């Protein structure tokens, strides 16, 4: 992806992003917090100047983080949100008061922190250790920006795991543990127990721990409880025990839920997102907000409703187009796409659904496709804009054929061609010309979802906005 902005202090955002990208990628983990602890100390521990809600888990981190941030901000706190990955611009990762920081401020923060980063790099290299990674540099920039902006609370999304993640220099007032499942096994371990130990690492002394429903409860919960006890956590709030989703009803644009927390019951709260998992994410967010907000009883229900009804999550069951309906979802593991399938079945009634996917080579591609196979009529396989990690289209095609059969798989090596092929599939069975009852689902990774978002803002977006017969005419002119 490319970023352009006016020349600021001799650098553009594009140039700064290229410098950060030259470092080890975020999936290349160095299992050590030495560099992060060292730079935090040199910078006088900016991460200690505000309260922190720290979020880990295999799925749901981003949704939970944004809902938590929205509640705290709606209550009047100045908020910082550190999220990953980004879909279109790296500035999306550092959010202050609900808005991604500007290109100018991103460059300015880089300029303010690069001398500290270079100093730690020099010391690390002298000791035979690697330079700070892409993700470590962004984490440094986030905590500096938050301190510089005098925020009240930071909502921090773990990059991967927890124990050795760069974000673990933050001390959690509230530590949210989302569902733990099998993902990133080559880095976090080959069993759910090993992965749970890594994710439990965000629990600190005096943390309040908020635990979401666990798909492997018998294996995971003893590990989380034991870690919390040994660390000296203040208390544990478990979904289904100390907190509960009492009810949920699908509604236009999302759902309406009733939630119970340790502080009270919140009735008929609108959530602008689909699916059972989002109701539980909202519950975790609400429990965490109660911990950091300066109140001693239940929060104001109207304020909570206003916050949760306003949250839209890019790349998570995101409807970006109608006629035909185009949905983007970054789901890339079994847990995520199972929730996606449940959401599609509960909230949509497509007569035909065409999938477009590009997935990373390290993912369990066959199982992910198998989960979605019953709801997808035709699958278009392609390659996203991250060829270093994306599975080559010819390999993805072979796996897709083994799941869907040869007659239901189309391969297009160029992403715009893949999206157009999906539109053509929908058009071929559409006699009305308006795409009624037909949809396109772009899934497989957040890079894939981001590519689609960017593409749908370009000239193709203008074409896809037109009725079927006008699109054909317009395409001939481009």
């Amino acid at each position: 992806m490319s970023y352009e902005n006016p020349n600021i202090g001799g650098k553009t955002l594009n140039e700064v992003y290229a410098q950060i990208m030259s470092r080890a990628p975020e999936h290349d983990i160095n299992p050590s917090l030495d560099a992060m602890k060292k730079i935090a100390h040199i910078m006088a521990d900016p991460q200690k100047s505000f309260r922190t809600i720290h979020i880990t888990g295999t799925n749901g981190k981003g949704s939970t983080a944004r809902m938590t941030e929205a509640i705290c901000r709606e209550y009047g706190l100045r908020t910082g949100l550190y999220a990953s990955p980004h879909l279109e611009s790296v500035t999306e990762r550092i959010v202050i008061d609900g808005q991604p920081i500007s290109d100018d401020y991103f460059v300015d923060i880089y300029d303010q922190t690069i001398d500290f980063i270079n100093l730690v790099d020099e010391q690390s290299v002298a000791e035979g250790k690697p330079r700070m990674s892409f993700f470590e540099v962004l984490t440094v920039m986030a905590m500096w920006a938050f301190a510089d902006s005098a925020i009240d609370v930071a909502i921090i999304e773990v990059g991967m795991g927890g124990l050795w993640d760069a974000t673990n220099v933050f001390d959690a007032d509230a530590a949210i543990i989302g569902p733990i499942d099998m993902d990133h096994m080559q880095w976090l371990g080959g069993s759910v127990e090993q992965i749970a130990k890594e994710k439990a690492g965000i629990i600190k002394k005096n943390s309040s721990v908020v635990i979401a429903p666990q798909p492997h409860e018998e294996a995971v919960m003893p590990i989380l409880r034991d870690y919390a006890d040994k660390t000296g956590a203040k208390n544990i709030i478990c979904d289904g025990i100390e907190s509960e989703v009492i009810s949920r009803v699908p509604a236009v644009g999302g759902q309406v839920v009733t939630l119970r927390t340790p502080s009270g019951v919140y009735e008929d709260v609108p959530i602008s997102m689909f699916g059972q998992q989002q109701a539980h994410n909202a519950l975790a967010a609400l429990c965490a907000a109660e911990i950091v907000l300066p109140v001693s009883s239940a929060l104001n229900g109207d304020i909570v409703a206003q916050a949760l009804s306003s949250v839209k999550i890019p790349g998570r069951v995101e409807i970006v187009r109608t006629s035909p309906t185009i949905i983007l979802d970054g789901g890339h593991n079994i847990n995520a796409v199972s929730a996606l399938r449940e959401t599609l079945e509960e909230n949509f009634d497509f007569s035909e659904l065409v999938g477009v996917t590009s997935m990373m080579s390290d993912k369990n591609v066959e199982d992910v496709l198998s989960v979605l196979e019953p709801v997808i009529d035709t699958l278009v396989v392609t390659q996203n804009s991250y060829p270093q990690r994306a599975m080559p289209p010819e390999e993805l095609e072979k796996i897709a054929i083994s799941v869907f059969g040869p007659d239901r798989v189309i391969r297009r090596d160029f992403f715009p061609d893949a999206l157009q092929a999906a539109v053509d599939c929908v058009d071929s069975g559409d006699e009305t010309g308006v795409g009624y009852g037909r949809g396109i689902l772009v899934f497989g990774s957040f890079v894939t979802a981001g590519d689609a978002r960017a593409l749908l803002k370009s000239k193709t977006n203008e074409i896809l906005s037109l009725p079927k017969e006008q699109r054909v005419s317009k395409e001939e002119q481009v």
Side-chain angles (χ1 to χ4, degrees), residues 238-264:
C238 285
D239 188 321
I241 303 176
E242 291 82 7
S243 64
E244 178 186 11
V245 176
I246 295 175
S247 66
R248 53 179 294 271
V249 179
V252 176
Q255 57 190 306
V256 176
V257 302
T258 295
L259 307 174
R260 176 178 62 83
T261 72
S263 297

Side-chain angles (χ1 to χ4, degrees), residues 3-8 10-17 103 107:
Y3 311 99
E4 299 297 339
N5 69 314
N7 192 275
I8 306 163
K11 300 185 186 74
T12 65
L13 178 61
N14 201 37
E15 290 167 343
V16 167
Y17 185 67
D103 294 359
V107 173

Side-chain angles (χ1 to χ4, degrees), residues 282-348:
L283 179 62
L286 187 52
C287 290
E290 287 183 343
I291 292 163
V292 300
L293 284 167
V295 294
S296 57
S297 59
L299 306 182
N300 183 291
D302 291 338
I303 294 177
V304 170
Q306 176 61 34
L308 293 179
S309 66
S310 68
V311 178
K312 298 286 187 182
I313 312 295
R316 294 170 177 88
V317 196
E318 180 186 14
I319 301 173
V320 294
R321 179 67 50 210
T322 56
S323 300
T325 298
I326 300 179
I327 300 172
L328 310 183
D329 194 274
H332 53 265
N333 56 42
I334 295 173
N335 186 286
V337 296
S338 295
L340 171 60
R341 174 178 164 180
E342 177 185 301
T343 297
L344 292 171
E345 292 175 332
E346 179 178 80
N347 296 277
F348 299 88

Side-chain angles (χ1 to χ4, degrees), residues 39 42-43 112-121 144:
I39 198 167
I42 293 171
M43 295 166 65
Q112 291 182 46
T113 56
I114 189 59
D115 287 344
F116 298 119
I117 293 166
N118 287 338
L119 177 60
V120 172
D121 280 347
W144 187 266

Side-chain angles (χ1 to χ4, degrees), residues 160-171:
M160 187 188 301
L163 185 62
W164 303 114
D165 189 75
T167 64
N168 211 26
V169 293
F170 292 86
D171 289 333

Side-chain angles (χ1 to χ4, degrees), residues 1-7 11-21 26 85-93 102-104 106-107 134 138 385 447 450-451 454:
M1 297 180 186
S2 178
Y3 311 99
E4 299 297 339
N5 69 314
N7 192 275
K11 300 185 186 74
T12 65
L13 178 61
N14 201 37
E15 290 167 343
V16 167
Y17 185 67
Q19 290 179 28
I20 301 173
M21 281 290 288
E26 53 195 316
H86 62 275
L87 291 187
E88 296 179 67
S89 172
V90 68
T91 59
E92 298 167 20
R93 293 181 180 236
S102 67
D103 294 359
D104 299 35
F106 188 94
V107 173
F134 168 91
L138 288 178
S385 60
V447 175
D451 288 348

Side-chain angles (χ1 to χ4, degrees), residues 355 357 379-383 393 396-397 400 409-413 418:
T357 191
L379 181 67
V380 185
V381 298
T382 187
Q383 181 168 283
L396 185 55
E397 179 185 31
V409 176
I410 298 170
R411 173 180 145 197
R412 295 289 185 271
D413 294 350

Side-chain angles (χ1 to χ4, degrees), residues 324-384:
T325 298
I326 300 179
I327 300 172
L328 310 183
D329 194 274
H332 53 265
N333 56 42
I334 295 173
N335 186 286
V337 296
S338 295
L340 171 60
R341 174 178 164 180
E342 177 185 301
T343 297
L344 292 171
E345 292 175 332
E346 179 178 80
N347 296 277
F348 299 88
D349 186 22
F350 292 117
S351 59
E352 179 183 12
L353 182 64
V354 178
V356 178
T357 191
S358 173
M359 296 186 63
M360 301 306 179
S361 295
D362 58 297
K363 301 302 176 184
N364 194 341
V365 175
E366 183 174 359
D367 286 349
V368 166
L369 295 184
S370 295
V371 170
L372 290 176
E373 184 272 334
V375 296
I376 292 176
D377 296 279
T378 302
L379 181 67
V380 185
V381 298
T382 187
Q383 181 168 283
N384 61 38

